Amino acid sequence: MVSIRDVARKAGVSHQTVSNAINSPGIVSPATREKIAQAIKELGYKPNASARRLRSGRSDVVAVGIAAGENRAPSPIFDEFLHLLAAEANNDGKQIMLYPRIDEPSELHHIQSLMEQSDVDAIVLNELEVNDGRPRWLIDHDQPFVLFGRPWNLSKEDADRIPWVDVDGYSAIKEMVGRLVAAGRRHIGYIGWNTGTGTALNRYQGWYDGLEEAGLLVDGMYDGRPIDTWAIGTIEAMRAGEAAAADLYQRHPDLDAIVCPSDNLAVGALSSISHIVKHAVIDGDPNVNMLSRPVWVTGFDDSALAHAFSFPSIRQPLDVVAKELLRMTREMLAGKPITDEPHWHELLQPELVWRQSPYADVER
């Protein structure tokens, strides 16, 4: 094992100088720091983590809550985010701790226990709920935290004090609607979430504004029918997407596209299309030609599901999200003041990934 004395010999300095360069770099000249850094790199020296934590009073642990119990829904994209966050934390000399999120009171109790035992430096919150009390509690208890998402519905004073990174789902959904319109779709439904969260409302608004920009809405009516009949709010589950798509078909037999804010919902909608067409053929439905017409379903996240079922989706830059959240964590723990500047509040642009729908007529 390489020791600090090995580094000192390699750099031609005392072991105390190496220690100063690692723990108090400001008192060491730039030229000497450079020599020591080069020696550390060549020898692969790793400072003793336990000793560093004792000196700094930090645990080098960042905690992330994961939904458990009845709140748990399969989320391939969140799994990917956790892997990227863990890899980035490792590069930063930190560890990721996962804790269960069942409800807000139990989560805050768990966080308080971690704080009392000095087991965590910072918390990563993922998506705020309606009337979410966690940000205010963490601020009041001086617990550093960052947010993957936006501080929806909070006062400007509180929102400005929260470092956050989010992805612009509104613009991406709006762009997706534009692509569907350009492909000839004129009866585009929406299957979203009924949670009332800022993200749910934001993505719905992207669909609505996309239709409006395309000139498809007139006085709140879509093709002569109330706009709210073209959208269904539900839970995040494939079976929910399947039921919602069937409901949309029943309301609007001329439906020719469905926009979804997640790949899970999109797969459910695709399954529903297949089921409806199959039974229309078997049952000799006189509307079978209408039911079997080309229909596009689009998702969000560009997960393995979107690749496997080959439907258009939207790719989030999760690697950048992880890097920026940990950068903000690092700077916050170093004592940098959190301001209302964009440096602390980043809205990233996702990428629309266009694929031919498996239920679309490529000849059309």
Side-chain angles (χ1 to χ4, degrees):
M1 178 182 291
V2 179
S3 71
I4 194 171
R5 294 184 183 277
D6 296 323
V7 174
R9 281 193 292 272
K10 180 76 173 176
V13 298
S14 70
H15 73 273
Q16 184 59 53
T17 301
V18 175
S19 179
N20 290 341
I22 294 170
N23 301 303
S24 304
I27 65 174
V28 180
S29 70
T32 301
R33 287 203 308 269
E34 179 60 31
K35 285 197 302 182
I36 292 170
Q38 186 61 34
I40 288 174
K41 181 178 179 181
E42 291 179 9
L43 295 174
Y45 173 66
K46 304 268 187 205
N48 185 281
S50 297
R52 184 179 68 249
R53 290 167 191 153
L54 284 173
R55 287 192 299 270
S56 66
R58 298 289 184 190
S59 66
D60 288 338
V61 172
V62 176
V64 184
I66 55 173
E70 295 180 358
N71 295 327
R72 186 180 183 278
S75 178
I77 205 67
F78 189 60
D79 290 345
E80 181 183 349
F81 167 68
L82 287 177
H83 280 88
L84 290 166
L85 191 68
E88 190 63 30
N90 184 65
N91 293 337
D92 210 23
K94 299 187 183 302
Q95 301 177 58
I96 296 298
M97 173 192 292
L98 303 181
Y99 65 86
R101 287 186 58 205
I102 298 173
D103 53 39
E104 185 174 301
S106 65
E107 179 177 4
L108 293 178
H109 178 75
H110 194 98
I111 292 174
Q112 187 165 28
S113 296
L114 293 175
M115 292 167 58
E116 289 171 352
Q117 298 172 47
S118 300
D119 283 341
V120 63
D121 290 339
I123 307 289
V124 176
L125 295 183
N126 176 53
E127 179 64 63
L128 296 187
E129 307 294 340
V130 177
N131 301 319
D132 201 317
R134 294 176 298 166
R136 183 73 259 170
W137 189 94
L138 292 168
I139 291 172
D140 289 344
H141 287 77
D142 297 319
Q143 172 59 53
F145 71 100
V146 293
L147 171 64
F148 179 16
R150 269 172 275 180
W152 309 102
N153 302 321
L154 298 182
S155 68
K156 186 177 187 305
E157 180 183 5
D158 283 350
D160 287 347
R161 297 173 64 184
I162 299 174
W164 58 264
V165 181
D166 199 11
V167 175
D168 189 0
Y170 165 84
S171 294
I173 292 284
K174 185 178 175 184
E175 181 185 359
M176 185 69 82
V177 171
R179 287 294 297 268
L180 289 169
V181 171
R185 310 293 136 168
R186 293 297 181 270
H187 301 97
I188 305 168
Y190 184 77
I191 299 173
W193 301 306
N194 60 5
T195 58
T197 64
T199 298
L201 297 175
N202 187 251
R203 294 189 185 179
Y204 167 86
Q205 196 65 43
W207 168 76
Y208 183 98
D209 288 353
L211 295 176
E212 190 166 55
E213 187 173 282
L216 297 177
L217 302 186
V218 179
D219 297 328
M221 304 290 281
Y222 185 11
D223 198 40
R225 288 160 279 185
I227 184 63
D228 59 5
T229 67
W230 291 88
I232 293 179
T234 188
I235 61 173
E236 172 62 12
M238 291 182 190
R239 67 183 186 280
E242 186 171 359
D247 193 354
L248 278 177
Y249 266 111
Q250 188 173 14
R251 298 180 188 181
H252 303 291
D254 51 353
L255 189 73
D256 59 15
I258 303 173
V259 172
C260 301
S262 77
D263 288 346
N264 276 341
L265 289 174
V267 169
L270 282 171
S271 174
S272 186
I273 292 170
S274 175
H275 181 81
I276 290 169
V277 172
K278 180 179 71 174
H279 281 273
V281 172
I282 293 173
D283 299 339
D285 191 315
N287 295 318
V288 66
N289 290 334
M290 181 188 296
L291 290 170
S292 60
R293 74 197 176 289
V295 175
W296 254 308
V297 174
T298 71
F300 198 111
D301 289 333
D302 197 38
S303 65
L305 294 172
H307 292 254
F309 288 88
S310 189
F311 54 80
S313 191
I314 294 161
R315 181 180 300 143
Q316 301 192 59
L318 294 178
D319 55 338
V320 181
V321 172
K323 286 179 184 294
E324 288 303 289
L325 286 173
L326 285 170
R327 173 190 62 77
M328 292 178 183
T329 299
R330 185 169 57 249
E331 294 183 3
M332 180 172 51
L333 295 176
K336 290 190 177 181
I338 301 169
T339 68
D340 60 358
E341 296 174 342
H343 181 76
W344 293 102
H345 315 292
E346 289 205 42
L347 186 60
L348 305 175
Q349 294 303 311
E351 176 189 357
L352 190 153
V353 181
W354 187 255
R355 299 183 182 91
Q356 194 76 15
S357 168
Y359 293 95
D361 182 358
V362 297
E363 301 296 329
R364 185 170 177 175

